[in-house]
């Protein structure tokens, strides 16, 4: 019998109401360097997915987000780092000004241009 440890992750799809979404590029020195991804992170003990996403967006981008509806749920498997249960939530509103606190780059990308970005494999399906 095998036990599979699954890491729970909450991700935000921030929209600017003009058909663009926020992408963040992972810094060098971290796993999957310079890959683009949606912001978010791992759920901590006794934390809901929504609480996790609000915390991560505050830490990573300096904003207080209103977490909207669940957009997508998927299981992502990375042979070198494990299995992930990833929930993607729409974030249409937040307070504060976006501040890059740990990414190589952060930018608004028109949805029609997403295919041109080197997006982290686990985020491509979305």
């Amino acid at each position: 019998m095998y036990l599979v440890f699954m890491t729970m992750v909450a991700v935000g799809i921030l929209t600017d109401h003009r058909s663009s979404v926020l992408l963040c590029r992972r810094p060098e020195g971290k796993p999957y360097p310079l890959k683009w991804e949606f912001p978010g992170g791992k759920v901590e003990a006794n934390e809901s997915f929504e609480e996790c996403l609000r915390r991560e967006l505050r830490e990573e981008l300096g904003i207080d987000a209103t977490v909207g509806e669940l957009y997508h749920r998927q299981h992502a498997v990375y042979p070198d780092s494990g299995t992930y249960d990833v929930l993607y939530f729409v974030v249409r509103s937040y307070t504060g000004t976006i501040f890059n606190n740990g990414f190589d780059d952060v930018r608004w990308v028109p949805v029609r241009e997403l295919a041109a970005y080197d997006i982290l494999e686990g985020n491509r399906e979305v």
Side-chain angles (χ1 to χ4, degrees):
M1 180 168 119
Y2 293 97
L3 292 177
V4 176
F5 177 74
M6 188 170 306
T7 302
M8 311 304 268
V9 177
V11 174
I13 301 173
L14 281 74
T15 175
D16 69 352
H17 307 288
R18 294 185 305 266
S19 73
S20 291
V21 293
L22 190 74
L23 282 185
C24 303
R25 189 164 62 188
R26 299 175 66 83
E28 291 193 48
K30 294 246 181 168
Y32 311 106
L34 305 179
K35 293 280 189 180
W36 291 93
E37 65 182 351
F38 298 109
K42 297 174 185 162
V43 176
E44 295 180 353
N46 300 316
E47 185 177 53
S48 71
F49 282 95
E50 293 86 353
E51 290 167 335
C52 169
L53 183 55
R54 281 192 292 276
R55 176 184 51 76
E56 289 286 346
L57 294 177
R58 195 170 28 259
E59 292 172 2
E60 295 176 347
L61 302 172
I63 60 173
D64 289 311
T66 301
V67 177
E69 71 272 12
L70 178 64
Y71 178 76
H72 182 74
R73 184 174 193 163
Q74 75 180 64
H75 296 285
V77 178
Y78 291 90
D80 58 344
S81 66
T83 303
Y84 298 84
D85 186 18
V86 186
L87 275 67
Y88 295 82
F89 294 90
V90 175
V91 176
R92 290 188 175 91
S93 66
Y94 56 87
T95 58
T97 301
I98 291 176
F99 176 80
N100 181 357
N101 192 28
F103 293 102
D104 179 70
D105 193 8
V106 173
R107 68 175 66 157
W108 290 103
V109 176
V111 172
R112 67 184 181 283
E113 295 178 16
L114 285 173
Y117 284 76
D118 186 14
I119 294 177
L120 186 66
E121 187 172 329
N123 284 187
R124 284 188 202 144
E125 185 177 323
V126 173

